[in-house]
Amino acid sequence: MDRPTAGILLRLLSGLLFAAMMISIKAVGNEVPLGQTVFFRSAFAMLPIVVYLALRGSFPAGLATRRPAGHLLRSGLGAAAMFASFASLALLPVAEATLL
């Protein structure tokens, strides 16, 4: 089914939530250690994933993988990217961090 209005609204919500996350990271950048910021962002990101899988009846089986080495590599690279992104937001002006 084609639902362009829902797609547009979800895209706008995504932009607003991303901007709110950037503002939050910038606000606590000098007071909270970077590792702690990354940890709590990741911990809170798990909540909607678990709720979604539970509603579909796929929890915890939906978290299983057939390629654990690939999953670990992807997770490690994602965590490194998040550390770098959050560090740039904490240390640079928002416009420069967004540009990078």
Side-chain angles (χ1 to χ4, degrees):
M1 181 187 314
D2 210 12
R3 297 174 41 199
T5 305
I8 292 169
L9 291 174
L10 287 172
R11 180 68 175 144
L12 289 172
L13 179 64
S14 166
L16 288 172
L17 291 174
F18 186 72
M21 182 180 70
M22 287 177 60
I23 290 167
S24 300
I25 293 166
K26 188 69 175 168
V28 301
N30 294 330
E31 300 164 10
V32 179
L34 183 61
Q36 189 172 348
T37 306
V38 171
F39 172 81
F40 280 105
R41 190 272 184 202
S42 299
F44 285 118
M46 284 296 293
L47 182 63
I49 293 169
V50 170
V51 169
Y52 174 75
L53 289 175
L55 290 174
R56 291 191 50 178
S58 301
F59 184 77
L63 297 174
T65 180
R66 287 175 285 197
R67 297 182 55 202
H71 184 72
L72 287 174
L73 177 64
R74 182 177 185 266
S75 298
L77 292 174
M82 190 181 304
F83 267 98
S85 175
F86 284 13
S88 71
L89 280 169
L91 299 172
L92 297 172
V94 174
E96 289 181 29
T98 303
L99 178 66
L100 292 175

